[in-house]
Amino acid sequence: LLFAYVVSLQLQELVARPLLRLAESAQAITQRSRDYTLRVPPVPSRDEIGMLFRGFNEMLAEVQQRDEILEAQVQQRTAELEQAYHDLKKLDELKTSFISNVSHELRTPLTSILGFATMIELRLRDELFPRIQAPSSSETKAMSRVMRNINIISVEAERLTALIEDVLDLAR
């Protein structure tokens, strides 16, 4: 009985304790630290338990290497995304500046066109046309055509002004 007890202690020392150490190390690595640089102290045996420990340490080395590669790739992709973000932001600023400049350059002459068209319409209607006495049918037709054309200029200038305002609203 004593001999069986001593043999069981030896077997426990040879088999159970190393396996418990391996299980504790695996649990520490996966559940707590995720530190793949940790290694299980090797067992100085060439049996299956020794092979298990060496295989486990090799597996940890492989996981650590892949982890480092993935981390480097993540950092590289992050840098690429940050660069793309800054490029897009710069392009957005250029677009906003361009829209603002173009709309300003368009709005100024349109305001002048609209103002002059209104002045011409008022002067023709209030000053020039009343001076024509008993206009002929061709003169009446020409006067009507001129007023229609000036009205078209005004309406289209107002439409373009509204479009420019819409573009500015979209840019904002």
Side-chain angles (χ1 to χ4, degrees):
L1 207 60
L2 182 62
F3 178 73
Y5 178 73
V6 170
V7 169
S8 70
L9 285 177
Q10 288 297 322
L11 285 175
Q12 181 182 2
E13 189 66 34
L14 289 173
V15 177
R17 282 215 174 100
L19 290 177
L20 285 174
R21 221 173 46 206
L22 181 64
E24 289 169 357
S25 296
Q27 189 175 26
I29 291 167
T30 58
Q31 290 183 355
R32 293 185 218 133
S33 66
R34 299 252 184 233
D35 182 6
Y36 300 113
T37 61
L38 297 176
R39 299 292 182 266
V40 179
V43 175
S45 69
R46 295 199 169 270
D47 61 1
E48 291 84 3
I49 293 177
M51 288 172 51
L52 179 65
F53 274 65
R54 284 188 294 280
F56 187 78
N57 283 335
E58 288 171 9
M59 181 189 65
L60 285 176
E62 180 83 18
V63 169
Q64 178 186 359
Q65 184 181 15
R66 287 186 185 179
D67 192 45
E68 290 168 357
I69 290 170
L70 286 174
E71 187 61 36
Q73 287 176 341
V74 166
Q75 288 176 356
Q76 178 185 359
R77 296 304 189 285
T78 300
E80 290 170 1
L81 284 173
E82 286 174 353
Q83 183 62 43
Y85 172 77
H86 290 299
D87 291 348
L88 285 173
K89 198 168 185 176
K90 190 175 182 181
L91 285 174
D92 185 54
E93 290 169 3
L94 287 172
K95 174 212 47 126
T96 302
S97 174
F98 174 77
I99 289 174
S100 177
N101 288 338
V102 167
S103 65
H104 174 73
E105 292 300 322
L106 289 174
R107 194 182 321 168
T108 302
L110 275 175
T111 302
S112 297
I113 291 169
L114 194 55
F116 283 119
T118 303
M119 280 182 11
I120 290 170
E121 181 182 7
L122 290 174
R123 286 210 173 132
L124 285 173
R125 189 184 64 220
D126 295 344
E127 296 176 18
L128 189 60
F129 290 163
R131 290 186 185 183
I132 301 174
Q133 298 177 355
S136 68
S137 68
S138 64
E139 290 173 335
T140 305
K141 200 181 217 183
M143 290 169 32
S144 174
R145 197 174 323 129
V146 166
M147 289 304 284
R148 256 193 336 265
N149 289 343
I150 290 175
N151 188 39
I152 289 171
I153 291 171
S154 296
V155 167
E156 294 302 320
E158 288 173 359
R159 188 172 70 85
L160 284 174
T161 302
L163 282 172
I164 291 170
E165 292 299 322
D166 290 344
V167 167
L168 285 175
D169 288 342
L170 284 173
R172 283 187 217 113

